[in-house]
Every structure is written in structure tokens, then in C-alpha cells.
Amino acid sequence: MDIWYKRLFLFSLLMGFIHHFSISQSEIPDYTDPFFVEVEALTGRVVSNYPTFPNTEPVKSVSLNLGVLHNNPDNDFSSYYNNPMTGVSLSYTNPGNHSVFGREYGLKSFFMVKPFKRLSNPFYLKFSLGLSYFTKFYDVSDNPENKAVGSSFTWGFQAFMYKSWDINDAIRINLGAGYLHDSNGHTQLPNAGLNKAMFSMSATSFFSRKRNFSDNKNVHRKNEKQNIYFFNVRNGWGIHELGGTFGPVGGAQKGVYSLALSGGIIFNNHIKVRSGLTYRFYEQYYDFINTHNLPEYSDSPIAKASNLNFFIGCEFLIGHFGIDVEGGLNLYKPFYKEFHKRFNHKGQLKYVLNKLFSSRLGLNYYLYNTHNRPKNNFFIGANINANFGQADFSEINIGYTRLLSTNY
């Protein structure tokens, strides 16, 4: 299992650095967006999420953030997202119980944006997605208390708000608060996930920063009001372990194969909204039906191991990079009734919500810069899928986007 996660880790690392390099390059030859180095100290508490959750002390963490402040007003991307900051975070965390959780090491790509443009000392919203490595995880004999972290590698997600103060052109200090979540995406059980509520203090050092380029200029952004239609096709290869959040453990990891077709509109060259259908085939469900010879499902195991989903998605385009969020409605998922009865035991309301609703969160990397509106574009991506709020499987995908008109 860890071999698969190492591949995903290397894939995400490559995506992060390609993304960082590609959007760091200014479209204006005589201006370079300033690079920054930030040191951040964080503390808080782990939030328990099951009855036998082990006791923890306060969380202690430190992060090194390397990135770029995009503050060139003639740059379409910088102006639209209100001078965002992008980059890569390296972190070390003591989750507060070494014997159970060990130590955590993280690598994430991040995106920071100002929700309010005209404040001299701005607020920032920060979203990060990447991978975490835990030195200790669940083991039936050596570490049975750790039902939160079922594997050494997990997805790592961060949502924070910061208040910033510029000391001068080179130095900024920040106070922040938010939420951190780690989950392996149901690829190895148990997988309750590790949640942390955190506060932070940080200092940012900018190199060659020119604030006169950045603040509150109203500039013309090329073609920002010309919306464009597109269609999209995506092929996904996922993996998960059969069972509920807490088990049974030790099962095989098998595939989830997806094909999604969608269409939509790209608003203002930056927001890609789509809707469509996804077909999924669960190898676990198919094998379970055949192995147990279930009368209700055995007459057509392929169909009963399938899922048809209607979805609405929104992708935030950042040059070659896309932050992808999706919510869906399951039109057909017959085996989930049997899955819930055998593995979940969470009550009727939970069953209905998990059976009907789905969600996806992930990162995409595009072959061509999306802001140049190429007629044909290809992407690779990594994402986590869930039944409502319960992790279902992790997935790597490839896809193709075709613009239906490029009259601009």
C-alpha cells in the first residue's frame, strides 16, 4: 500500500514544483513577482472524532513556506485573484501523543488570496492540499489506539485565515487560525482522520518586493468578461479498501475506475464551472458480490458494482494549475445498501446522505496555460472522493478539455 502512496507523493511533489515554476513567471519581461520565505509556528489541539480517541497534549508545529507574491497589475492572473500568494509548504508536527501518532511531516502546495482588496493590512485566506507522512499509524498489535491514521502516508488539507501587517517592503508578520485535516482517503483502514484546530504566528521575508506595483490599481484585464463554453472528459484510476471507517482492517486494496463527461462555462477566464455524469466501477463490490453469491446482486454483478453520478463542479484556474471542487448526486449505486448494512452501522439518516451525495477535492495540472485559452488542453490530477463527508477512495486521473469557441 505504501508503494502506491509513494507514487502519489512523488506525483504531487512534481505537480507542486511545476505549478510553482510555471505561475511564477511574469507575462511582462521587465517585471518579476517577488519571491518570499516564511517561517510559521503553530499550536492548537487535536479534535477527537471517536469515543475511544487517545488523550493528547497541545499540538506543536513549525512550517517553512516558500512562494511567490503575484503583484504585477498587468498580469491577468495577479489582478483577477487580487495579488495572491502561491507556493510550497514543508512542515514538522508533534500531534501531542508520540506513542500513538508519532511525528508528522508534510508537503503541501498552497494558494492564498485576499478577500478584501483595499485594506492596507490585509486578511488572507489560505488553502493547502498535499501529503503528510506519519512515523506511527494503526497496527492491530503494536498501535491499536490509533484509529485516526491507518497508513504512513495521508492526504493533508489546510484552511486558514490570516491577518497580516507590513513592517516594510521586505518584512510582514501574520497571525492566523484555522483547520488541518489528514486522511488517507479510505485506501487503508481504519481511517477516522486526524483533525486539528490551530493558531499560528509567522514572519514573511520578501525579496525585491515593489509594493507600488501591487496595491489597489484598477487595470484592464484582457478578455475577463468573455465567457466561453467547453466540454470535458476525464478518466480516473482510484483505490480503496473495503470496509467502514474503522474496519475490517487488513483487506486488499482494489481499483475504482471512472469515466466522467461534462460541459460548462469558463467565467472571466478563471472560474471553470461544469456539470455532467460520472460512471464508476468498484472492483471491491464486484468481487464481494461474486465471492458471497448474494442473491440480490449476483444476477448482474457488473451493473450492481457500478455507480452513475450527476455532478456539478467548480475549478479555480491558476495558469497551468486548477483547484477542483465537486459535489454530486448518485443516480444509481445499488451495492451501497449492502455496504452500509455490513460495514457502516451509522443509522438511517447517515445511510441516506452517504448513498445520495458525493464529493471530490483535488488538484489538476494542465499541459497548456489555461489563461491563454488553448482550443485543446490536457490535464493530470490527484483527488480524494467521499460519500457525503465519509472518505470513499483516492484517485489519479487524466483528462481533456475542448473549448467550443475562442472568439476573442
Side-chain angles (χ1 to χ4, degrees):
M1 181 58 223
D2 279 347
I3 292 176
W4 191 89
Y5 255 110
K6 288 173 185 174
R7 291 175 181 170
L8 181 58
F9 181 85
L10 293 174
F11 172 78
S12 299
L13 176 63
L14 178 62
M15 280 182 60
F17 279 108
I18 290 174
H19 154 242
H20 179 69
F21 175 80
S22 65
I23 67 174
S24 297
Q25 311 309 309
S26 173
E27 297 174 0
I28 310 302
D30 60 354
Y31 181 79
T32 301
D33 290 322
F35 177 77
F36 68 84
V37 176
E38 182 176 272
V39 177
E40 184 174 12
L42 305 94
T43 188
R45 296 302 301 245
V46 170
V47 180
S48 62
N49 56 355
Y50 55 89
T52 60
F53 199 92
N55 293 326
T56 58
E57 297 178 352
V59 179
K60 303 178 183 66
S61 181
V62 62
S63 177
L64 177 65
N65 307 316
L66 309 174
V68 170
L69 169 64
H70 302 272
N71 69 345
N72 185 345
D74 296 318
N75 185 306
D76 197 34
F77 160 80
S78 301
S79 299
Y80 186 84
Y81 285 110
N82 198 13
N83 310 132
M85 301 167 72
T86 63
V88 177
S89 294
L90 303 170
S91 63
Y92 164 81
T93 302
N94 175 355
N97 189 326
H98 181 265
S99 63
V100 176
F101 300 116
R103 298 291 185 260
E104 176 186 353
Y105 300 88
L107 173 62
K108 302 180 183 72
S109 293
F110 66 81
F111 176 67
M112 297 179 67
V113 62
K114 292 187 292 185
F116 311 109
K117 184 171 185 178
R118 298 188 178 277
L119 293 179
S120 58
N121 296 311
F123 285 95
Y124 276 94
L125 297 176
K126 180 179 183 179
F127 302 97
S128 300
L129 185 63
L131 290 175
S132 298
Y133 174 80
F134 286 85
T135 60
K136 293 187 178 181
F137 53 97
Y138 176 85
D139 185 273
V140 66
S141 57
D142 294 334
N143 195 9
E145 288 186 83
N146 189 356
K147 295 180 175 63
V149 182
S151 58
S152 56
F153 283 94
T154 72
W155 288 93
F157 172 76
Q158 178 184 9
F160 258 58
M161 174 174 276
Y162 294 89
K163 176 65 174 175
S164 300
W165 293 269
D166 286 318
I167 305 304
N168 51 45
D169 283 0
I171 301 295
R172 172 183 289 174
I173 59 172
N174 318 279
L175 294 178
Y179 170 82
L180 295 167
H181 174 72
D182 294 284
S183 166
N184 69 34
H186 209 81
T187 56
Q188 189 165 326
L189 301 177
N191 181 47
L194 193 65
N195 304 298
K196 311 181 201 78
M198 303 286 282
F199 298 93
S200 83
M201 296 181 61
S202 58
T204 311
S205 177
F206 294 96
F207 298 86
S208 303
R209 182 183 176 205
K210 300 177 182 179
R211 278 193 290 173
N212 61 302
F213 273 89
S214 64
D215 293 335
N216 309 325
K217 291 190 176 183
N218 295 317
V219 297
H220 173 68
R221 295 191 289 273
K222 181 177 65 175
N223 307 313
E224 69 164 16
K225 297 192 181 297
Q226 293 192 355
N227 303 326
I228 191 165
Y229 295 95
F230 70 93
F231 75 81
N232 202 76
V233 59
R234 179 184 63 83
N235 192 198
W237 297 272
I239 189 168
H240 79 156
E241 183 177 340
L242 186 66
T245 299
F246 300 108
V249 301
Q253 287 81 33
K254 297 182 181 180
V256 181
Y257 307 101
S258 303
L259 178 64
L261 301 174
S262 60
I265 304 175
I266 301 175
F267 292 98
N268 300 334
N269 221 24
H270 297 85
I271 308 297
K272 186 177 182 181
V273 178
R274 68 187 186 276
S275 65
L277 295 173
T278 300
Y279 168 79
R280 297 189 181 107
F281 174 76
Y282 287 77
E283 190 177 7
Q284 294 275 22
Y285 294 173
Y286 177 80
D287 289 348
F288 193 91
I289 291 169
N290 287 330
T291 301
H292 292 77
N293 194 26
L294 301 175
E296 188 177 347
Y297 304 95
S298 298
D299 58 334
S300 52
I302 293 178
K304 296 299 174 63
S306 297
N307 167 219
L308 184 63
N309 175 271
F310 170 78
F311 64 86
I312 297 175
C314 182
E315 189 173 358
F316 301 91
L317 300 176
I318 312 165
H320 288 263
F321 191 70
I323 302 173
D324 200 5
V325 181
E326 185 177 290
L329 176 67
N330 290 317
L331 305 177
Y332 180 78
K333 197 172 185 178
F335 190 76
Y336 192 81
K337 176 183 177 181
E338 187 72 20
F339 175 88
H340 181 84
K341 181 175 70 175
R342 288 177 179 263
F343 302 117
N344 266 350
H345 316 296
K346 293 285 184 69
Q348 185 64 21
L349 178 60
K350 192 72 172 180
Y351 164 71
V352 171
L353 293 175
N354 285 352
K355 187 177 189 296
L356 287 180
F357 300 107
S358 67
S359 58
R360 289 177 69 244
L361 173 66
L363 306 172
N364 295 325
Y365 178 77
Y366 286 85
L367 180 62
Y368 304 112
N369 190 322
T370 59
H371 297 162
N372 295 332
R373 293 188 175 182
K375 189 103 176 167
N376 303 286
N377 211 344
F378 300 87
F379 63 89
I380 56 176
N383 56 267
I384 184 171
N385 294 259
N387 297 312
F388 194 57
Q390 183 180 15
D392 189 12
F393 62 94
S394 294
E395 184 179 41
I396 293 175
N397 57 80
I398 62 172
Y400 166 73
T401 294
R402 168 80 175 187
L403 302 189
L404 301 182
S405 62
T406 54
N407 298 321
Y408 63 90

